[in-house]
């Protein structure tokens, strides 16, 4: 079955360490997104990519970086510059194009990142 | 600034007790309103998309409606398995030819047997 796979499910970061969260999709979707979810807050957009080798900052990009070398993959790196990284991170993808302009985003099951 | 407000924050219902969840929005250039269901420790699961005032969508015990300023998610005769957090999101133009979702904080629904 097609879907979005996020790994690992749980991740722990030490002070000063960069960590990378994986997101892979086999839905043949062009657009991919990273969100951060904190208790009592709505999902907030970190980065998004509409095509391979191109990505844009979202509302809270500081302290994060991404790459989009393949259509299927959109990894997120949480750098040591992100001082409050503890959160639930969600990856999403969506079909794009004029015919699909009303398609929803579909989500993976998230990675929970904690500070050691 | 685009805003999406969901109410109530939490709702506790007896099994079979129907109710509604509200999502009000203040956005410019709405290009769709989306409802998702999220179970603990999981990603949001898509439920409905609504585009124009007066539109309604149904799925099992759930019915979503849309006006020019708000959307309702009606739950008829809920069962314990309907317990989850329900998220509302609006899709708006964000510049440079792209559209983004703005999410509300969600309503946590608990259905008691």
């Amino acid at each position: 079955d097609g879907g979005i796979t996020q790994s690992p499910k749980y991740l722990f970061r030490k002070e000063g360490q960069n960590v990378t969260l994986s997101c892979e999709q086999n839905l043949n979707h062009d657009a991919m997104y990273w969100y951060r979810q904190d208790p009592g807050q709505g999902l907030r957009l970190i980065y998004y990519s509409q095509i391979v080798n191109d990505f844009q900052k979202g509302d809270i990009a500081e302290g994060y970086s991404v790459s989009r070398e393949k259509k299927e993959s959109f990894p997120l790196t949480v750098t040591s510059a992100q001082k409050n990284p503890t959160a639930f991170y969600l990856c999403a993808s969506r079909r794009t194009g004029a015919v699909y302009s009303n398609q929803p985003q579909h989500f993976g099951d998230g990675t929970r990142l904690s500070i050691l | 600034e685009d805003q999406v407000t969901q109410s109530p924050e939490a709702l506790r219902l007896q099994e079979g007790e129907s109710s509604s969840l509200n999502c009000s929005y203040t956005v410019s250039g709405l290009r769709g309103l989306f409802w998702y269901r999220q179970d603990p420790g999981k990603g949001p699961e898509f439920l409905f998309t609504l585009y124009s005032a007066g539109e309604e969508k149904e799925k099992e015990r759930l019915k979503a409606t849309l006006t020019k300023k708000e959307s309702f998610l009606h739950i008829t005769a809920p069962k314990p398995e309907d317990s989850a957090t329900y998220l509302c999101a609006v899709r708006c133009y964000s510049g440079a030819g792209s559209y983004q979702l703005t999410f509300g904080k969600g309503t946590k629904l608990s259905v008691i047997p």
Side-chain angles (χ1 to χ4, degrees), chain A residues 9 33 35 37 40-45 48 50 59 88 90 94 100-110 112, chain B residues 31 34 36 38 41-46 48-49 51 87 91 94-106:
Chain A
K9 190 169 178 65
Y33 308 81
Y35 291 90
Q37 188 174 34
Q41 293 199 40
L43 274 68
R44 292 182 290 168
L45 182 64
Y48 64 98
Q50 307 228 66
D59 299 322
F88 190 49
L90 288 160
R94 190 179 79 89
Y100 305 109
S101 62
N102 298 331
Q103 289 293 302
Q105 292 182 19
H106 295 275
F107 287 83
D109 275 340
R112 188 166 297 281
Chain B
R31 290 292 184 271
F34 300 82
Y36 288 87
Q38 186 175 24
K42 300 287 188 180
E45 174 189 351
F46 171 69
F48 303 110
T49 309
Y51 293 104
L87 304 177
R91 186 166 178 250
S94 59
S98 67
Y99 293 82
Q100 303 305 337
L101 291 184
T102 299
F103 281 84
K105 295 180 181 180

Side-chain angles (χ1 to χ4, degrees), chain A residues 69-91:
Chain A
E69 297 177 1
K70 298 187 301 180
K71 186 175 183 178
E72 302 79 18
S73 178
F74 191 39
L76 173 74
T77 296
V78 183
T79 75
S80 57
Q82 173 49 245
K83 297 306 179 187
N84 184 23
T86 298
F88 190 49
Y89 290 87
L90 288 160
C91 177

Side-chain angles (χ1 to χ4, degrees), chain A residues 6-78:
Chain A
Q6 290 189 241
S7 61
K9 190 169 178 65
Y10 300 96
L11 187 58
F12 298 91
R13 195 191 89 169
K14 295 180 181 179
E15 292 289 338
Q17 186 182 44
N18 294 353
V19 293
T20 298
L21 285 60
S22 171
C23 178
E24 303 278 333
Q25 54 98 1
N26 60 3
L27 300 167
N28 199 32
H29 288 173
D30 287 300
M32 296 187 73
Y33 308 81
W34 275 106
Y35 291 90
R36 170 178 172 143
Q37 188 174 34
D38 295 280
Q41 293 199 40
L43 274 68
R44 292 182 290 168
L45 182 64
I46 304 172
Y47 268 98
Y48 64 98
S49 168
Q50 307 228 66
I51 56 173
V52 174
N53 292 323
D54 186 57
F55 47 83
Q56 306 296 329
K57 292 182 178 180
D59 299 322
I60 57 166
E62 185 174 350
Y64 301 97
S65 65
V66 294
S67 62
R68 186 85 187 276
E69 297 177 1
K70 298 187 301 180
K71 186 175 183 178
E72 302 79 18
S73 178
F74 191 39
L76 173 74
T77 296
V78 183

Side-chain angles (χ1 to χ4, degrees), chain B:
Chain B
E1 182 179 324
D2 298 337
Q3 287 199 344
V4 180
T5 303
Q6 291 189 245
S7 62
E9 290 185 10
L11 182 61
R12 191 178 170 94
L13 298 174
Q14 291 292 324
E15 184 173 0
E17 178 186 2
S18 302
S19 188
S20 296
L21 282 56
N22 177 263
C23 173
S24 63
Y25 58 91
T26 53
V27 300
S28 55
L30 180 72
R31 290 292 184 271
L33 183 142
F34 300 82
W35 282 99
Y36 288 87
R37 169 193 169 124
Q38 186 175 24
D39 293 301
K42 300 287 188 180
E45 174 189 351
F46 171 69
L47 293 173
F48 303 110
T49 309
L50 301 165
Y51 293 104
S52 54
E55 189 175 0
E56 299 182 352
K57 294 272 181 75
E58 286 190 66
K59 180 180 179 180
E60 296 180 355
R61 296 177 292 281
L62 299 177
K63 179 180 178 181
T65 62
L66 182 65
T67 72
K68 288 187 177 181
K69 293 185 178 180
E70 59 191 349
S71 176
F72 291 94
L73 185 64
H74 307 278
I75 303 176
T76 302
K79 298 182 178 181
E81 52 262 41
D82 294 322
S83 298
T85 296
Y86 290 85
L87 304 177
C88 169
V90 297
R91 186 166 178 250
C92 315
Y93 185 66
S94 59
S98 67
Y99 293 82
Q100 303 305 337
L101 291 184
T102 299
F103 281 84
K105 295 180 181 180
T107 293
K108 184 176 181 179
L109 174 66
S110 301
V111 182
I112 312 303

